[in-house]
Amino acid sequence: MKVRTETRRNAIVQAAVELFKEKGYERASMNELARRLGGSKATLYGYFASKEALFVAVVKAVATVHLSDAIATISGDAADQLSLEDVLVRFGERMMVVLTNDAGALAVYRMVVGEAGHSVVGQLFDESGPAQLGEALGALFERAIERGELRRADPKVLAAHFSALVTAETSNRLYQMDPQPMALDDIRRMVRRAVDMFLLGAAPRASVAGA
């Protein structure tokens, strides 16, 4: 029963992915989803209490599930045994492989941007992944500050600055009709530039003689 239930849940999520991509969050309906699946709304609500809950499942399945691997690289003891530079490079590469080469994730991001101004979709999306990513980065930077590797600053602000630097060279892909996948070597060079720039700006300030 458990296997069948999980299989059915996955089928609902995959059908919802296509429905949301086609119609957007506001115009997609549980009625239409039930029709496409050949079942009833009651069945859908047995798996997901609301359209909002279903959307969160879609976001996690398509757009943020891969970010858990990136978060794992900056969390816990394993991250603290590497240099901050190495941790940030590994994190940046894992995150950018998804953001630049996953067409499904890009489609969800575009839907979020289009719907965020007049629905709760933006908030739901943020809570489903990006906010958790920011918290993990903030915790990493807080530990680095305590070790003296970064200057005293708000870790959450440092997290926002680093995320912006990592994505700075690819943000325009969101508006392109059919952006081509990026080669891994190009991603590595891009991430290295972002990490170098971040560490240059966030490094402890050397004391100035006579200041």
Side-chain angles (χ1 to χ4, degrees):
M1 179 64 72
K2 183 177 180 180
V3 173
R4 186 165 63 250
T5 299
E6 188 64 22
T7 298
R8 182 60 172 170
R9 183 186 186 280
N10 291 337
I12 292 171
V13 170
Q14 291 306 311
V17 168
E18 298 305 317
L19 180 61
F20 282 131
K21 285 166 59 177
E22 178 184 330
K23 293 185 175 294
Y25 177 79
E26 283 298 311
R27 289 174 297 176
S29 70
M30 299 295 264
N31 279 331
E32 173 64 15
L33 183 59
R35 187 190 68 77
R36 294 187 180 194
L37 287 166
S40 67
K41 279 204 305 181
T43 298
L44 297 182
Y45 285 118
Y47 287 91
F48 301 98
S50 63
K51 186 171 74 170
E52 290 84 357
L54 177 59
F55 177 73
V56 169
V58 166
V59 169
K60 289 181 177 180
V62 177
T64 64
V65 64
H66 304 297
L67 297 184
S68 62
D69 290 336
I71 291 174
T73 66
I74 57 175
S75 303
D77 295 338
D80 290 337
Q81 296 183 16
L82 298 172
S83 70
L84 179 61
E85 181 178 2
D86 286 343
V87 171
L88 292 178
V89 167
R90 291 187 181 190
F91 166 80
E93 288 178 358
R94 290 195 181 190
M95 184 175 74
M96 293 311 297
V97 165
V98 175
L99 295 181
T100 58
N101 292 344
D102 190 317
L106 181 60
V108 171
Y109 295 149
R110 285 173 169 165
M111 182 184 69
V112 169
V113 171
E115 299 285 351
H118 48 85
S119 76
V120 299
V121 69
Q123 180 180 346
L124 292 172
F125 172 76
D126 186 57
E127 293 172 351
S128 298
Q132 298 170 25
L133 200 63
E135 290 177 3
L137 273 173
L140 173 71
F141 292 145
E142 186 171 11
R143 299 194 300 273
I145 290 170
E146 293 303 315
R147 293 193 300 265
E149 296 176 311
L150 299 177
R151 63 185 173 85
R152 290 282 171 184
D154 186 335
K156 293 182 180 179
V157 173
L158 292 179
H161 288 175
F162 177 69
S163 296
L165 283 170
V166 171
T167 58
E169 295 185 47
T170 61
S171 58
N172 64 326
R173 293 170 65 87
L174 192 64
Y175 315 111
Q176 297 173 359
M177 181 178 295
D178 187 20
Q180 296 301 303
M182 290 186 66
L184 183 56
D185 285 345
D186 291 335
I187 291 174
R188 286 172 173 164
R189 285 190 289 268
M190 177 185 66
V191 170
R192 173 62 65 177
R193 288 191 292 269
V195 171
D196 288 347
M197 184 65 70
F198 174 77
L199 292 177
L200 181 65
R205 298 292 191 260
S207 57
V208 180

